Amino acid sequence: MLALLTCRTHRLIFLTFGTSPGWQSEAVAVPQSLAAPLILDENFNIDRKVVEKREAWIETLDTSAPSHQVGLIHLHPKVFADYPRLDIIHENAVWQQKFRMVNTAHTKLRSEVRGGGKKPHPQKGLGRARHGSIRSPLWVGGGRAHGPRAFTTQFYMLPFAKRIRGLTSTLSAKFSQDDLKIVENLDLPSDEAGYLEKLCEERCWGPSVLFVDDTDLMPRNITIATDTIQHVNLMPVYGLNVHSMLKHETLVLTVSAARRIEERLLYHLNRPDFYKMNNERFKK
């Protein structure tokens, strides 16, 4: 039996395995640098047979490599091939902008306006309308009825299902537009900002790029290189959100970050208390 193994350097390694008594098996030592598989396949439990798993190239950030495409990864269709609901994406974007806003506009009530303690004229006898104070909202210079009050928050909580669906819709839209890239890691051979800008220009990433890793401890070189570039940002996977993905033109995920996103979103999509979580009111 002859097995063919393709590695990152596109070399061919032939391994022979003996299955018959007359065939002696021979163990071939494969270097660790060449033992990485070309295809990262996953056996997804997909309930609908018409939905196929998606494939994406695994790229490297090292421009000195013979090819920037070093492998192939399979992505779950429920996360990266969902139907993009633009209305839910818009609701998520508006929610993220409003939930941290605090209104600072302020108008005074009739009790806060200076003056108006005396009745302007007698109640009866002059033929004029009845008034008890010149600081009533009916008077010029009086208080404001139902006006804006300072330090009122616009916070509200979006339903749980819309938050999850917003992430899957945005990821699917990025993937379908070829604005989602998968890299093996965020290791750069240089810490110069010019190297990263040239890399993004050659790969047609941008003008704004968001790099996402599964940890918040980013490699040293890419941290220094992005420090002076305003349109290239780093983010851990637990901070990924709809607003940041829409703000950046290209989304770059590491392999571990893509697997972590699939794991968490599939858990929430298939959790038994999903509808209970969606109907539960947010407690401040």
Side-chain angles (χ1 to χ4, degrees):
M1 176 181 179
L2 189 63
L4 179 62
L5 179 65
T6 310
C7 299
R8 294 182 181 179
T9 55
H10 304 287
R11 299 177 183 176
L12 302 181
I13 301 176
F14 294 91
L15 305 179
T16 56
F17 300 94
T19 55
S20 60
W23 192 291
Q24 296 182 356
S25 63
E26 180 181 357
V28 181
V30 181
Q32 187 175 5
S33 60
L34 301 179
L38 176 66
I39 299 179
L40 298 183
D41 194 3
E42 288 288 340
N43 295 322
F44 299 125
N45 186 16
I46 305 174
D47 50 359
R48 293 179 297 174
K49 299 301 181 181
V50 295
V51 180
E52 296 292 338
K53 51 190 176 183
R54 297 303 189 261
E55 296 179 348
W57 287 109
I58 302 177
E59 303 182 15
T60 179
L61 299 182
D62 189 2
T63 56
S64 62
S67 176
H68 68 276
Q69 297 174 345
V70 297
L72 196 68
I73 185 174
H74 289 167
L75 303 174
H76 201 284
K78 285 189 176 180
V79 179
F80 294 95
D82 192 15
Y83 180 79
R85 288 281 302 273
L86 299 183
D87 55 333
I88 295 182
I89 295 176
H90 178 262
E91 288 186 25
N92 276 267
V94 172
W95 168 64
Q96 286 192 245
Q97 293 175 357
K98 283 190 173 181
F99 80 84
R100 56 173 176 258
M101 290 179 58
V102 178
N103 189 13
T104 57
H106 182 77
T107 56
K108 293 184 178 181
L109 302 175
R110 60 181 296 170
S111 60
E112 298 173 342
V113 181
R114 183 179 178 182
K118 180 183 177 181
K119 190 175 178 65
H121 50 75
Q123 181 80 359
K124 303 173 72 67
L126 296 180
R128 305 180 65 181
R130 296 167 290 187
H131 292 285
S133 174
I134 62 173
R135 295 301 177 238
S136 169
L138 301 176
W139 288 67
V140 177
R144 177 75 179 273
H146 310 295
R149 304 292 290 176
F151 309 113
T152 55
T153 178
Q154 299 188 24
F155 175 83
Y156 68 96
M157 206 63 188
L158 201 65
F160 180 77
K162 289 188 176 181
R163 283 179 277 155
I164 298 298
R165 191 66 188 276
L167 291 173
T168 58
S169 296
T170 309
L171 288 171
S172 301
K174 286 287 186 182
F175 181 79
S176 62
Q177 294 173 355
D178 199 23
D179 290 332
L180 190 147
K181 307 297 180 180
I182 306 294
V183 296
E184 52 182 354
N185 50 55
L186 296 182
D187 293 334
L188 284 180
S190 174
D191 59 356
E192 297 180 359
Y195 176 87
L196 185 58
E197 289 182 334
K198 184 179 179 181
L199 173 67
C200 295
E201 183 179 356
E202 291 178 353
R203 304 281 176 87
C204 297
W205 296 353
S208 54
V209 185
L210 178 63
F211 291 92
V212 180
D213 201 358
D214 65 333
T215 177
D216 50 6
L217 298 176
M218 302 294 177
R220 173 185 177 274
N221 286 349
I222 195 170
T223 303
I224 298 176
T226 58
D227 190 35
T228 57
I229 307 177
Q230 300 296 328
H231 54 275
V232 178
N233 296 296
L234 304 176
M235 178 178 290
V237 70
Y238 59 78
L240 188 64
N241 57 86
V242 174
H243 178 74
S244 298
M245 287 190 285
L246 295 178
K247 184 179 178 181
H248 297 82
E249 184 76 17
T250 305
L251 177 65
V252 181
L253 305 176
T254 61
V255 174
S256 55
R259 292 302 184 214
R260 183 63 174 170
I261 291 172
E262 286 181 345
E263 175 190 353
R264 298 307 301 166
L265 289 181
L266 289 175
Y267 166 76
H268 288 298
L269 287 172
N270 299 288
R271 59 187 303 173
D273 58 342
F274 180 79
Y275 294 101
K276 180 181 178 181
M277 290 288 297
N278 190 40
N279 297 328
E280 193 175 63
R281 292 180 61 88
F282 179 75
K283 298 178 181 179
K284 294 183 180 180

